Amino acid sequence: MVLKKSTKAILTTVLVVAALVLLYMLDNGVIGSSYTVRIVRLSFIYALIGVSMNLVNGFTGLFSLGQAGFMAIGAYTVGVLTIPVDLRPNVYYLKPMAEGLANVEVPFGVALLLGGIFAAVFAALIGAPVLRLKSDYLAIATLGFSEIIRAIIANDQLAPITNGSLGIKSVPGFTSIFVPVAISVAGIAIMALLIKSSYGRAFKAIREDEIAAEAMGINLFKHKELSFTVSAFFAAIGGGLLAAHLTAVDSNQFKIMVTFEILLIIVLGGMGSITGTCIAAFAITAGKEWLRFFDAPFFIGAWQVPLFRPGLRMVIFSLLLMAIVLFYRRGLMGTKEFSWDGIFNFFHRLQDEIRRRLKKPAREVQ
Amino acid sequence: MDLTTFLQNCVTGVSLGSAYALIAIGYTMVYGILRLINFAHGDIFMMAGYFTIFAITNFMLPWYVAILVVIIATVILGAAIERAAYKPLREAPRMSIMISAIGVSFLLVNLATYLFTGLPRSFPKLGFLQHVYKIGDVSAPVVTFITPVITIVLLFVLIYLVNHTKMGMAMRAVSKDYEASRLMGIEINTIITITFIIGSALAAIGAILYFSPRPMVYPFSGMMPGLKCFIAAVIGGIGNIPGAVIGGFVIGIAETFLVAVFPSMTGYSDAFTFVLLIIMLVFRPTGLLGENITEKV
């Protein structure tokens, strides 16, 4: 069954308006608490970073594990450039900030964009040698670069800029929930448009079969480089948003584990599905908070259930993810995208299935 | 740098390199057969560290029994991971199995944090291994001196096993051509399990030797050594066992001397390994001893 175009448009409008109203209510404290606001913000940021990683891993078929490094570039650019000048001596208390930078304070948007550009330039530079490597070598090389970025940032010699291992505090936060949401949605939309364009079709051709794609006249290196650079740009934007979300930046936030967590988001959502990644980003970010009760001691009457203690949450979380990887390899959406037709067909099939199940015993009676 | 310091650094570097070499062998063997970067290998190594703590500190086993127990426990862990997480994905695309490996690594780190808390645990002293021994002006614990010896001995045992036994022949066949060796009647799954058993046993020995001169074990302590050892395997030529040992030595020695000669570069010592890797991948992607593989359509 296919829905009418106008019905779909109405459904989409209703969804968007509902989301906007909910966000507005969240922002003004009508519903939820500041804690809910934080989770929603973080989900949007992770959705952006997830889609940026999916662009390379899911759509272009390159197994890149460098996302944390690009996020670090974005986060540090935003952190360094947006702390209010009068607060800087308190943040850089061990080593004063470099003279050229000490009085430079730029608006959040400019810093965010700069971070993205830095990361994109860096990605373009390392792309030249790295993207020629085959799948698992590429994984380990990008992982390496991400770790190199972190080591350089955390090192004492760069302390006048990055504050070394102390990290940066007092980064101005968001004034409204709409700032990160709008930036994330815009970023995801741009990547979705890229994927829908002829470039995106070339990406998918490379994913399916590199040699065949090359034979069809697709310039492998050019397209891989484009995908990698755009991905780095948006990962850095996500990193910059993260810096403002936490109002602090620390090189330890960008360890390899972060890349793995984002990888697990796109695996859950489906490698090669933008909407899947967004759904998974929300499910995982919120799920990690909801599972928090596993970390607290749990009592039935006076008896303390023995397994409940800090850390159980992450164990359950990783077991769930292993289960997805092993038994449900395509993730929630596979390479499909969310569509109203898909939803309705799903319910139709469910209805048919239930009817068939209900009919069967009746026939046996006859 | 005077001669004594130089020799002292040599001993430390060679010892660190030998521990790396033992772990790198595990990576290289698994990669040779499954074409999989076993991201969980570093965490198996970390678990072996914890097993040692439990065997000696909590169960008060004498060190020689403890070593045996640790090796057996690690082997069981390694083989179980292979059965549970990699075997169901034999026919899956390579990216899926690699993601599964990352998932296992994630799980092991979280499991260790849960079971043993995130706080560092002190590593026990293993019998005579910790006695400080002096050769000339160079002094170091016994473990530092015997690590290279153990590594070399194990390397020769392994080379004999791979080149002169029937099982080794089967291993080489599987790594050469998976399908064809199955058609020749080789039990693929048995061979893969044996590979994981050997890899895990070496990781257990490597863990005891690596952690002995170091004070602490914590849930993330397998991550960096794990990645470095994979890099060692790549530098030596992935799939090549002597290559992995050479790679391990190269990284161990280079890292030690980097820190000794340029103390200000200490923060970069991890990153330096990755720089080595990237240089290697750009100029000689097959590694020092690796074979050239031509790509077919």
Side-chain angles (χ1 to χ4, degrees):
Chain A
M1 195 186 94
V2 178
L3 293 173
K4 261 191 247 158
K5 221 171 186 180
S6 55
T7 327
K8 277 190 249 178
I10 291 170
L11 282 170
T12 313
T13 319
V14 168
L15 194 73
V16 169
V17 170
L20 284 176
V21 169
L22 274 179
L23 283 175
Y24 182 79
M25 276 154 76
L26 264 179
D27 202 30
N28 289 304
V30 181
I31 49 164
S33 56
S34 62
Y35 181 60
T36 332
V37 172
R38 287 184 70 83
I39 295 174
V40 172
R41 276 196 323 216
L42 194 61
S43 305
F44 272 97
I45 296 170
Y46 270 133
L48 176 65
I49 300 171
V51 174
S52 83
M53 191 170 182
N54 212 340
L55 178 67
V56 170
N57 292 37
F59 287 99
T60 322
L62 302 167
F63 199 58
S64 155
L65 293 176
Q67 234 56 11
F70 299 132
M71 284 163 69
I73 295 181
Y76 266 90
T77 314
V78 168
V80 169
L81 293 178
T82 61
I83 329 173
V85 169
D86 49 324
L87 292 177
R88 289 188 185 184
N90 296 333
V91 178
Y92 290 80
Y93 61 89
L94 273 187
K95 280 191 185 164
M97 205 169 178
E99 268 177 36
L101 266 175
N103 291 314
V104 181
E105 188 190 330
V106 300
F108 177 69
V110 178
L112 199 63
L113 211 60
L114 266 179
I117 291 167
F118 286 156
V121 169
F122 184 76
L125 286 178
I126 66 168
V130 165
L131 291 174
R132 297 185 192 283
L133 302 169
K134 287 277 162 299
S135 60
D136 19 22
Y137 287 105
L138 175 70
I140 205 86
T142 44
L143 199 72
F145 271 116
S146 147
E147 197 54 28
I148 292 170
I149 293 173
R150 207 178 63 81
I152 291 174
I153 284 174
N155 206 273
D156 258 1
Q157 279 131 354
L158 268 187
I161 300 172
T162 63
N163 210 13
S165 52
L166 292 172
I168 296 173
K169 288 169 201 72
S170 320
V171 180
F174 295 120
T175 44
S176 148
I177 193 171
F178 284 102
V179 176
V181 170
I183 294 171
S184 295
V185 170
I188 293 170
I190 292 171
M191 282 187 276
L193 287 176
L194 180 70
I195 288 164
K196 274 192 114 174
S197 72
S198 66
Y199 288 108
R201 287 194 291 277
F203 293 164
K204 287 178 197 163
I206 293 172
R207 170 184 74 190
E208 298 303 331
D209 191 331
E210 252 182 47
I211 296 168
E214 201 173 18
M216 299 313 280
I218 292 172
N219 183 339
L220 285 187
F221 180 68
K222 196 182 107 192
H223 284 93
K224 285 182 179 178
E225 181 93 343
L226 178 71
S227 162
F228 194 58
T229 312
V230 172
S231 161
F233 178 83
F234 284 108
I237 299 279
L241 291 176
L242 206 59
H245 168 77
L246 298 166
T247 67
V249 188
D250 190 314
S251 62
N252 286 328
Q253 289 162 359
F254 302 102
K255 285 193 170 166
I256 296 156
M257 274 319 216
V258 178
T259 306
F260 287 179
E261 274 184 45
I262 297 160
L263 179 70
L264 295 171
I265 287 181
I266 64 174
V267 170
L268 173 66
M271 294 280 237
S273 168
I274 297 174
T275 39
T277 305
C278 297
I279 297 170
F282 276 83
I284 288 190
T285 316
K288 264 166 89 172
E289 298 302 322
W290 282 328
L291 289 176
R292 229 172 242 291
F293 73 90
F294 281 116
D295 274 5
F298 184 67
F299 290 93
I300 298 175
W303 181 64
Q304 186 181 353
V305 182
L307 287 174
F308 283 66
R309 62 189 158 96
L312 181 63
R313 174 176 69 113
M314 287 310 283
V315 173
I316 291 176
F317 194 65
S318 24
L319 282 175
L320 280 177
L321 289 163
M322 275 313 290
I324 292 163
V325 173
L326 288 176
F327 305 115
Y328 207 59
R329 212 188 310 144
R330 292 171 49 77
L332 289 174
M333 308 283 286
T335 53
K336 291 199 203 76
E337 294 293 349
F338 172 86
S339 71
W340 293 113
D341 286 336
I343 293 262
F344 275 85
N345 286 336
F346 174 76
F347 281 113
H348 265 274
R349 258 178 293 150
L350 205 67
Q351 210 180 346
D352 291 346
E353 186 70 15
I354 291 169
R355 245 181 239 154
R356 210 176 305 140
R357 291 263 164 96
L358 288 177
K359 267 185 189 164
K360 245 188 191 162
R363 226 178 270 151
E364 278 165 7
V365 172
Q366 288 173 352
Chain B
M1 190 188 288
D2 59 32
L3 189 65
T4 320
T5 338
F6 177 75
L7 287 176
Q8 184 82 47
N9 281 319
C10 278
V11 172
T12 322
V14 168
S15 175
L16 179 64
S18 339
Y20 283 165
L22 287 178
I23 307 160
I25 292 173
Y27 276 107
T28 223
M29 287 179 77
V30 168
Y31 192 92
I33 287 185
L34 282 183
R35 298 277 175 266
L36 158 76
I37 302 178
N38 185 8
F39 277 102
H41 197 63
D43 302 293
I44 292 175
F45 159 82
M46 170 271 294
M47 285 305 239
Y50 274 110
F51 291 152
T52 320
I53 295 177
F54 277 96
I56 294 188
T57 314
N58 295 36
F59 292 101
M60 307 282 205
L61 297 174
W63 62 271
Y64 41 89
V65 185
I67 289 176
L68 206 66
V69 170
V70 170
I71 292 175
I72 292 170
T74 316
V75 161
I76 292 172
L77 179 69
I81 286 172
E82 194 276 316
R83 275 286 139 100
Y86 302 151
K87 197 178 164 211
L89 296 176
R90 285 276 197 274
E91 309 300 327
R94 267 168 78 189
M95 210 192 250
S96 305
I97 183 162
M98 197 137 72
I99 291 168
S100 179
I102 290 177
V104 173
S105 162
F106 200 65
L107 175 64
L108 284 180
V109 168
N110 287 329
L111 202 63
T113 314
Y114 171 61
L115 293 175
F116 318 128
T117 76
L119 300 173
R121 287 268 194 120
S122 60
F123 198 79
K125 300 208 179 315
L126 279 134
F128 72 98
L129 287 178
Q130 236 75 13
H131 294 306
V132 175
Y133 197 73
K134 260 182 122 119
I135 299 179
D137 286 330
V138 180
S139 66
V142 176
V143 62
T144 311
F145 291 109
I146 64 164
T147 307
V149 180
I150 294 177
T151 303
I152 299 297
V153 170
L154 286 173
L155 171 67
F156 280 106
V157 171
L158 202 59
I159 288 177
Y160 176 81
L161 215 66
V162 170
N163 288 333
H164 299 281
T165 63
K166 212 153 186 187
M167 187 190 73
M169 197 196 274
M171 276 179 173
R172 280 179 291 143
V174 175
S175 77
K176 202 95 190 165
D177 192 330
Y178 190 90
E179 287 300 321
S181 47
R182 179 183 280 175
L183 294 174
M184 292 294 132
I186 293 171
E187 280 290 338
I188 304 265
N189 287 328
T190 319
I191 295 300
I192 292 173
T193 308
I194 291 173
T195 310
F196 272 85
I197 287 175
I198 295 175
S200 307
L202 292 176
I205 299 169
I208 295 168
L209 297 174
Y210 177 85
F211 285 120
S212 279
R214 285 170 186 71
M216 299 292 183
V217 182
Y218 54 97
F220 283 95
S221 56
M223 205 119 211
M224 253 331 185
L227 286 173
K228 280 183 191 169
C229 293
F230 177 74
I231 293 169
V234 173
I235 286 178
I238 195 109
N240 186 307
I241 294 171
V245 175
I246 294 174
F249 279 122
V250 167
I251 288 190
I253 294 170
E255 194 186 312
T256 312
F257 273 94
L258 179 83
V259 175
V261 179
F262 310 103
S264 63
M265 300 282 276
T266 313
Y268 291 121
S269 75
D270 291 345
F272 168 72
T273 321
F274 285 104
V275 173
L276 263 186
L277 168 82
I278 286 152
I279 293 171
M280 200 70 199
L281 286 178
V282 170
F283 291 104
R284 205 180 147 80
T286 49
L288 292 172
L289 302 184
E291 295 163 34
N292 261 318
I293 305 162
T294 46
E295 204 192 329
K296 286 173 279 186
V297 179

